[in-house]
Amino acid sequence: MTPRLDVASVRSRFPALSRAENGHPAAFLDGPGGTQVPTTVIEAMSSTMQEGVSNLGGGFGPSNDAATISDAARSAMARFFNCSPDEVVFGQNMTSLTFAMSRALARTWDSGDSIVLTSLDHDANFTPWEMAADESGVYVRVAELDTETGTLDPDSVTDLIDGSTRLVAVCLASNALGTTVDVATIVETARSVGALVYVDAVHAGPHRLIDVGALGCDFLVASAYKFFGPHTGIVYGKTEHLSALRAYKVRPAPSHPPDKWETGTQSFESMAGVAAAVDHIASLGEGEGRTVIESAFSAIGDHERTLGARFLDGIADMSHVRLYGIPEMDEGRVATFAVAVEGIQPDRVAARMAERGIYVWSGHYYALQVMDRLGVLEDGGLVRIGFCHYNTTDEVDRALEVLADVG
């Protein structure tokens, strides 16, 4: 049985949610650009710095503490991804990690090979691969999203995969439209020709259960600040790849994975925050180990579907508001919505909402290919409104009221 999310209890853990703007209680509907953090994450990070932590390998107290923090963070993310701790790599952010991985993988490509990208992806899962391909003489094939539905048909990706394909880069959920992607089907085709699959799960992280075993992917990347943690990136990589690939690193750095991929000194306070963020999510579920993560995301999913359906029902009656993407809350989307208000620039809509204490994003949010294909890039992009587990039905209604007023 799926546990019911106690939203009032959840909100009490997030001090930022008590903020006010122009006399209005703040509604953080900007989660797709970064979520707020619970007190437990704040305390985990601050206590790490307050108590003192040293670099790894010293053999004394604060250095041993750093090792304990690193191990705990790796184990937490292994539970989050459903993988081995040795398959978890930490870095500055998703973009930096993807650039590093693209350089390492490009060394294995030959001129005449091909890679497959998609126009649904965030630019951080597009440009690094495009640049690596250009430097390696590798051909880039781009799978196009359906601009009418905002979806990516797996066939549009698999049809581009052949014997020359070395890599497929695809998102698990679109940061722009909220669309989810059937990655497992894509992985199956890629595997049949020996191609690797690199999955951007940054936007899926706070909304959907991630299971790298079920997906079958070779790499998957996420960002902790999207699932209630600090600004830190995390990559899952199959042991065979992390071991065989040559990492760009300095000579004294370890030569074994996952350490060889973690260039320089890691942010131990951030790693402590990552473990606390996973623990926060686990606290919403029932059971133990991986089961509690599964239970938590079941509860989160139920709540977010309620919020998303309420929002979609509300804008359905607004002739001046156009939704880009799937108009129903089903398995094909998460509760992230891109809209345009007739006759009003997206940044002005966002400003009007901010005046009423409602925080949303406007622009392209680095989803350049999406905005270009939709024909809105040159017009300032779209307004993005996102709901996560700490948002309420009252906040949905407040957002709807402003959208109705600006028409």
Side-chain angles (χ1 to χ4, degrees):
M1 181 177 177
T2 300
R4 184 176 180 275
L5 197 67
D6 185 340
V7 183
S9 174
V10 168
R11 288 178 64 83
S12 71
R13 308 179 192 184
F14 288 78
L17 301 186
S18 63
R19 184 183 178 117
E21 189 88 14
N22 296 327
H24 300 282
F28 287 86
L29 308 187
D30 63 333
T35 54
Q36 302 308 305
V37 300
T39 301
T40 50
V41 169
I42 298 169
E43 291 176 344
M45 297 179 70
S46 62
S47 64
T48 298
M49 293 183 284
Q50 186 172 7
E51 295 171 11
V53 66
S54 299
N55 214 329
L56 296 170
F60 49 87
S63 178
N64 294 335
D65 291 343
T68 299
I69 290 169
S70 299
D71 291 344
R74 227 179 286 284
S75 294
M77 286 308 303
R79 184 165 55 144
F80 193 77
F81 288 155
N82 196 25
C83 68
S84 165
D86 289 341
E87 295 176 312
V88 174
V89 175
F90 287 92
Q92 182 180 7
N93 49 54
M94 177 273 186
T95 304
S96 298
L97 285 168
T98 302
F99 268 113
M101 288 296 174
S102 69
R103 294 180 71 191
L105 284 165
R107 281 175 159 170
T108 68
W109 302 340
D110 294 320
S111 178
D113 288 342
S114 70
I115 64 172
V116 177
L117 311 179
T118 92
S119 62
L120 186 64
D121 274 82
H122 185 289
D123 203 57
N125 202 34
F126 193 96
T127 291
W129 304 111
E130 186 179 51
M131 293 176 66
D134 180 65
E135 293 168 359
S136 305
V138 170
Y139 184 68
V140 177
R141 297 168 177 168
V142 179
E144 297 294 347
L145 67 97
D146 183 325
T147 56
E148 293 297 317
T149 64
T151 61
L152 183 72
D153 186 337
D155 288 346
S156 71
V157 181
T158 58
D159 287 348
L160 300 179
I161 298 173
D162 61 22
S164 72
T165 307
R166 295 294 169 261
L167 177 97
V168 179
V170 63
C171 61
L172 193 54
S174 165
N175 79 306
L177 306 178
T179 306
T180 58
V181 179
D182 180 5
V183 168
T185 295
I186 295 169
V187 169
E188 183 178 2
T189 300
R191 182 179 294 166
S192 70
V193 298
L196 304 182
V197 178
Y198 190 95
V199 177
D200 173 4
V202 171
H203 193 66
H207 306 295
R208 292 288 178 91
L209 180 73
I210 296 173
D211 187 337
V212 296
L215 292 174
C217 57
D218 299 280
F219 299 91
L220 181 142
V221 63
S223 294
Y225 80 102
K226 296 295 180 73
F227 57 85
F228 323 111
H231 287 77
T232 296
I234 313 102
V235 164
Y236 152 79
K238 285 185 176 179
T239 300
E240 61 192 273
H241 304 317
L242 296 182
S243 298
L245 289 169
R246 180 182 173 188
Y248 282 81
K249 70 178 190 68
V250 295
R251 288 174 293 175
S255 57
H256 53 78
D259 307 77
K260 75 176 186 179
W261 295 100
E262 295 178 345
T263 55
T265 300
Q266 295 300 298
S267 171
F268 300 117
E269 64 273 17
S270 293
M271 295 177 85
V274 169
V278 174
D279 286 344
H280 164 72
I281 292 172
S283 74
L284 307 176
E286 298 174 349
E288 298 179 357
R290 174 68 178 179
T291 300
V292 75
I293 300 294
E294 295 171 351
S295 173
F297 274 105
S298 182
I300 288 170
D302 284 352
H303 177 62
E304 291 184 354
R305 279 188 292 274
T306 297
L307 299 180
R310 192 181 187 97
F311 179 79
L312 288 172
D313 287 345
I315 63 170
D317 296 327
M318 300 181 192
S319 60
H320 64 289
V321 176
R322 177 181 177 183
L323 173 74
Y324 288 80
I326 301 172
E328 296 91 22
M329 277 306 301
D330 57 25
E331 289 303 308
R333 68 143 52 250
V334 296
T336 298
F337 307 98
V339 301
V341 177
E342 185 178 359
I344 306 178
Q345 285 292 103
D347 59 351
R348 183 56 190 150
V349 176
R352 289 282 294 276
M353 298 186 81
E355 290 169 1
R356 303 267 285 272
I358 302 168
Y359 305 146
V360 301
W361 285 104
S362 64
H364 57 65
Y365 7 100
Y366 285 62
L368 296 178
Q369 303 291 331
V370 176
M371 298 301 166
D372 177 65
R373 301 305 192 271
L374 295 177
V376 298
L377 184 59
E378 300 302 322
D379 296 324
L382 298 170
V383 177
R384 182 176 63 180
I385 302 171
F387 304 104
C388 64
H389 79 309
Y390 55 59
N391 292 125
T392 67
T393 54
D394 177 66
E395 291 175 331
V396 175
D397 293 343
R398 288 174 57 200
L400 291 170
E401 288 173 8
V402 178
L403 287 175
D405 289 346
V406 297

